[in-house]
Amino acid sequence: MRIAVGSDHGGYALKVLLAGQLEASGHEVLDLGTDSEESVDYPDYGAAVGLAVAEGRAELGLCACGTGIGISIAANKIPGVRAALVHDATTARLAREHNHANVVCFGGRTTGTEVAGDALRAFLAATPLGGRHQHRVDEISALEADLTRKGNP
Ligand code: RB5
């Protein structure tokens, strides 16, 4: 599978580690930066990964910043992207199964390397379940298209 990866300086070390694990397990990595621990702005890298996924240049994306929060917010601004900040294998699996997440995000300063590796493997092993979840994911897509804005749920 082709997987786009990107991080700011706060997620750089974890991104490098996880990208190496992806390659070791046979995946093709499209590394969109950053390339060092020099301070950069996370929205640039969240957008780059999100665009690669939305445009079909990668099947899935992986993002990391210090907490994973900023870069996931940025990636989610790209239509078609469902970026999920995960903290362990359970949140990673459910992000894929229930939310059909196509970008997985990590906090390089908040999640340990062993836990992050387990979470990444769980994310890749999981499959979007569709069914009752598909309708909810479709609602998110409709929100992107501004079709179903409601005052109340
Ligand atoms: C950078 O210092 C830090 O703010 C960034 O990596 C991230 O944690 C933002 O959400």
Side-chain angles (χ1 to χ4, degrees), residues 81-130:
V81 168
R82 292 177 297 279
L85 171 58
V86 305
H87 297 286
D88 50 36
T90 302
T91 50
R93 174 178 60 79
L94 290 171
R96 190 84 176 117
E97 290 182 347
H98 287 199
N99 312 114
H100 301 188
N102 51 15
V103 176
V104 62
C105 303
F106 295 95
R109 296 172 180 159
T110 56
T111 301
T113 54
E114 290 284 328
V115 172
D118 287 346
L120 178 57
R121 284 184 284 281
F123 185 81
L124 294 173
T127 306
L129 291 180

Side-chain angles (χ1 to χ4, degrees), residues 8-11 39-40 42 64-71 109:
D8 74 352
H9 52 291
S39 183
V40 293
Y42 59 78
C65 67
T67 59
I69 295 171
I71 204 161
R109 296 172 180 159

